[in-house]
Amino acid sequence: MNRSLDTADVVVVGSGIVGLGAAYAAVRRGLRAIVVDRTDGPVGATIRNFGHLCIGAQGGEARRYADLSRDLWLRLSHDAGFWLRESGTLVAARHDDELDMAGTTVLDDGVVEQAFQRAAERTGVADRMPWDEALDYVRVTMGQSKIDVFTHLSGGDAESAARATAAFEGAYAEIVAEQGVSEIPGAADAIQGLKDAGLKVVLTTGFAPVTRDALIDGLGWRDLVDLALSPIDAGRGRPAPDLVLAALLRTQASSVQSIAVVGDTVSDVESGRRAGAGFVAGVLTGAHDRPALSAAGADAVLSDVSALRGVLVQRELLPLVAAS
């Protein structure tokens, strides 16, 4: 970096991570940069927080930036010669139960498909293929992150997918306002029964937080569930294991083997399997049928979520308090 303020194109005040990052970016663009700070030693916030880098609860555009940042750190380590080791993370946890929303605990009744159709009509995101083909893909990928589904429908056009996702969320809110929202019969009692048995209950969904929270508020479940997670809270949507593992971390469960995952789609089951959950069940109140859920690796396929506690008791998977 040029040491003369008179000849610098960019002067950055502060040599923390943001300041050095700005200076580095300027130099890579061919500019002359100089960094000034109040001390000649590392004593600020950056040095107090150094040592660990991870991609956390990002999704969509934020996740893209996180991936770019990780790649940048790896390149800097090589170019500058400082030590950096890539590794995974092992976390021990307590006991947890993770439930899907639409089709598992929340009655869908075709609302998701209607919202997809409205979004497609308003944005043209699926114009590159016949609508029947697009709708078939929507049905096959039920349970997955909506941005991922729209990215496929748009042929990989990220901006078009983002617009369509926003349109979907708006359309879903419209339909809920028009038709209301209802639980799968017995779902609230089933959730309360699991909590009475000593489990924590986490709802997961492919919806954005604004839609997820509207559903929870519409059902009056804000105080019923312990936590609700969307892909942006975990990293990736289903069928990746991120939502299940985020539930484990956020509830401080004792181990991934102590988690039961329940959902109505193949993606729900695959997510639980990939996470290593101790018990994974499908339910027949949503998108996919018994053969599909069984083929995906479900330990059991239930008529609905109200049967979950009985199966867990039968298999001696609940805490002892549940059997008493």
Side-chain angles (χ1 to χ4, degrees):
M1 292 193 183
N2 197 305
R3 294 181 178 276
S4 172
L5 291 174
D6 295 334
T7 60
D9 297 307
V10 177
V11 177
V12 178
V13 180
S15 60
I17 184 61
V18 175
L20 289 180
Y24 176 76
V27 170
R28 284 185 60 83
R29 285 164 174 76
L31 300 174
R32 293 167 296 178
I34 188 168
V35 179
V36 296
D37 203 356
R38 59 190 174 91
T39 68
D40 59 359
V43 296
T46 293
I47 193 65
R48 288 196 297 270
N49 292 295
F50 80 103
H52 177 68
L53 301 169
C54 68
I55 296 176
Q58 285 91 218
E61 188 72 1
R63 176 56 185 255
R64 187 176 73 85
Y65 283 125
D67 287 334
L68 289 172
S69 178
R70 176 185 178 275
D71 292 341
L72 175 59
W73 276 106
L74 292 173
R75 184 167 67 245
L76 283 171
S77 172
H78 176 269
D79 293 345
F82 60 80
W83 179 85
L84 188 151
R85 179 169 63 89
E86 295 183 77
S87 64
T89 301
L90 178 64
V91 181
R94 193 165 76 232
H95 201 302
D96 186 27
D97 190 80
E98 192 253 334
L99 298 172
D100 174 45
M101 289 185 67
T104 302
T105 55
V106 181
L107 189 64
D108 176 30
D109 201 22
V111 175
V112 171
E113 287 189 16
Q114 293 176 52
F116 265 109
Q117 184 165 359
R118 290 191 188 186
E121 291 171 349
R122 293 170 184 176
T123 65
V125 68
D127 286 353
R128 71 185 185 90
M129 63 177 69
W131 173 244
D132 288 346
E133 182 181 335
L135 185 58
D136 181 64
Y137 183 79
V138 167
R139 289 169 176 164
V140 169
T141 57
M142 281 289 185
Q144 295 186 18
S145 171
K146 302 303 176 279
I147 187 69
D148 292 341
V149 177
F150 280 120
T151 297
H152 172 83
L153 294 179
S154 68
D157 185 335
E159 291 186 5
S160 178
R163 287 194 300 271
T165 301
F168 169 86
E169 302 294 347
Y172 196 96
E174 291 171 4
I175 297 168
V176 168
E178 295 164 5
Q179 304 178 10
V181 59
S182 302
E183 67 174 77
I184 296 290
D189 289 340
I191 292 172
Q192 188 59 59
L194 294 169
K195 289 171 66 69
D196 292 343
L199 278 68
K200 291 187 176 181
V201 175
V202 179
L203 299 182
T204 64
T205 180
F207 294 139
V210 61
T211 303
R212 175 199 72 201
D213 293 344
L215 289 174
I216 292 173
D217 290 338
L219 292 166
W221 285 4
R222 183 65 60 180
D223 296 326
L224 179 63
V225 299
D226 294 286
L227 184 65
L229 297 172
S230 296
I232 196 170
D233 303 312
R236 296 170 296 176
R238 307 184 191 99
D242 300 29
L243 281 165
V244 179
L245 297 178
L248 178 146
L249 295 174
R250 296 280 290 275
T251 60
Q252 299 182 341
S254 60
S255 73
V256 73
Q257 279 291 309
S258 72
I259 291 182
V261 174
V262 186
D264 68 301
T265 71
V266 166
S267 292
D268 293 314
V269 175
E270 290 178 345
S271 178
R273 289 272 76 101
R274 293 180 186 186
F279 179 76
V280 180
V283 291
L284 298 174
T285 49
H288 295 154
D289 59 16
R290 184 182 298 275
L293 295 169
S294 297
D299 294 311
V301 178
L302 313 176
S303 58
D304 58 57
V305 71
S306 66
L308 177 59
R309 178 171 174 173
V311 170
L312 293 178
V313 170
Q314 183 181 28
R315 299 189 180 209
E316 300 182 344
L317 296 175
L318 279 184
L320 291 178
V321 64
S324 62

